[in-house]
Amino acid sequence: MTSKKKPTVYITRKLPDVVETRMRELFDAELNIDDTPRSQPELVAAVKRADVLVPTVTDRIDAALIEQAGPQLKLIAAFSNGVDNIDVDAAARKGITVTNTPNVLTEDTADMTMALILAVPRRLAEGAQVLTDRKGEWAGWSPTWMLGRRIAGKRIGIVGMGRIGTAVARRAKAFGLSIHYHNRHRVKPETEEMLEATYWDSLDQMLARVDIVSVNCPSTPATYHLLSARRLALMRPDSYIVNTARGGIIDEAALIKSLREGKIAGAGLDVFENEPCVNPKLIKLAGEGKVVLLPHMSSATLEGRIDMGEKVVINIRTFFDGHRPPDRVLPGRD
């Protein structure tokens, strides 16, 4: 690439230093050192002059923004696995290629999912708060104090048995959980055999029969409020739900109502419908020990972020070397 003009790359958020250094070595990269989220006017100005836009999940790359892009913008290299914030079809109509960073966050997200699966029934956050926020309340060990629910022997229902869902299933099996799953397509027989997994073609039927529901499907128009008020009502009052996918997959208002009325025992949430805003009713429920809330940190490992950055670099280099980038997102996939 040294003999060619370096492409102008606009990066919307602060990335790990090692990634930014590599970007500056290879491209004419404009960094966001103070990590201030870019406004829509700033993004408009960027797409009018940059060759490559590197957005994150917090950036809204909609049709209106894409329509204002200059002819030089040929690549949107997303620093994310999901692209629900990008209008891929609008980009394709404009002749802009979109790429993402798949396969690098699977294990990190599955780890955090399993952490929430343990934290909610075993009341980990609630117990920790007794020592930090309610000092003096703990009088010592007692046979009947802070009782949770056992994990081993329970049934987990995984909604979305892709890479992350399968990784969650491997972990859950090691903890003695019985694996059940719902997916658009049944997984390979050898995968089912390895996990001793039961497939449900009906999500409704699965929800009524499992103890823990883990949401691991992608965010698409088809999965918006997939866990609707009607479906949440199918869950048992002693069951739990964990979501590390996207907030909009669950009808948050309906979930809050179910938790307040005791129709679901508890929830572990790493994602929310209106991020970064968190519904005050959820925060109140967290104070009551009915939910565990995390600030969208399931994929937040240094190793994972560096791996994502390396994929972005590879996608940009491959594209400007005249080849199809390995992580191209095709339009109309949903």
Side-chain angles (χ1 to χ4, degrees), residues 102-170:
N103 306 327
V104 296
L105 303 177
T106 299
E107 302 304 321
D108 297 331
T109 303
D111 284 346
M112 192 64 83
T113 304
M114 196 66 219
L116 285 171
I117 289 169
L118 292 167
V120 179
R122 293 304 306 271
R123 304 173 69 180
L124 296 188
E126 194 179 352
Q129 287 172 354
V130 170
L131 299 179
T132 57
D133 299 342
R134 308 202 298 267
K135 295 178 182 178
E137 181 176 319
W138 187 49
W141 183 87
S142 168
T144 57
W145 188 71
M146 200 58 75
L147 297 181
R149 299 298 299 272
R150 179 180 293 163
I151 296 296
K154 300 297 192 297
R155 297 184 179 93
I156 183 171
I158 298 173
V159 182
M161 196 70 151
R163 289 182 296 270
I164 294 173
T166 301
V168 170
R170 291 200 311 269

Side-chain angles (χ1 to χ4, degrees), residues 257-314:
K257 187 173 187 292
S258 295
L259 289 165
R260 295 179 95 176
E261 295 176 354
K263 294 179 179 178
I264 297 176
L269 307 175
D270 184 50
V271 289
F272 309 94
E273 272 207 64
N274 300 300
E275 293 184 23
C277 297
V278 179
N279 193 312
K281 293 178 181 178
L282 279 176
I283 296 174
K284 186 174 185 293
L285 287 169
E288 297 170 0
K290 294 183 179 179
V291 299
V292 175
L293 306 178
L294 295 176
H296 202 148
M297 56 186 285
S298 289
S299 63
T301 67
L302 178 60
E303 295 87 347
R305 295 291 189 252
I306 291 173
D307 288 345
M308 290 170 69
E310 289 177 350
K311 275 190 168 285
V312 171
V313 168
I314 290 170

Side-chain angles (χ1 to χ4, degrees), residues 142-259:
S142 168
T144 57
W145 188 71
M146 200 58 75
L147 297 181
R149 299 298 299 272
R150 179 180 293 163
I151 296 296
K154 300 297 192 297
R155 297 184 179 93
I156 183 171
I158 298 173
V159 182
M161 196 70 151
R163 289 182 296 270
I164 294 173
T166 301
V168 170
R170 291 200 311 269
R171 288 159 173 76
K173 185 174 184 293
F175 276 85
L177 286 154
S178 173
I179 309 302
H180 296 249
Y181 77 97
H182 170 77
N183 203 45
R184 285 190 301 177
H185 306 290
R186 194 164 183 167
V187 301
K188 294 178 180 179
E190 53 266 33
T191 301
E192 276 193 3
E193 183 177 356
M194 174 188 69
L195 297 171
E196 300 179 64
T198 300
Y199 172 66
W200 294 87
D201 58 0
S202 168
L203 176 58
D204 290 6
Q205 290 185 17
M206 185 185 79
L207 292 173
R209 290 168 170 81
V210 298
D211 303 290
I212 300 168
V213 174
S214 179
V215 180
N216 301 109
C217 59
S219 174
T220 70
T223 61
Y224 177 74
H225 282 189
L226 179 68
L227 278 298
S228 60
R230 181 187 68 78
R231 285 198 166 115
L232 291 172
L234 298 173
M235 294 176 59
R236 303 204 314 261
D238 59 350
S239 64
Y240 303 88
I241 188 165
V242 168
N243 186 8
T244 57
R246 285 289 188 271
I249 297 171
I250 299 178
D251 183 335
E252 201 169 89
L255 175 63
I256 290 169
K257 187 173 187 292
S258 295
L259 289 165

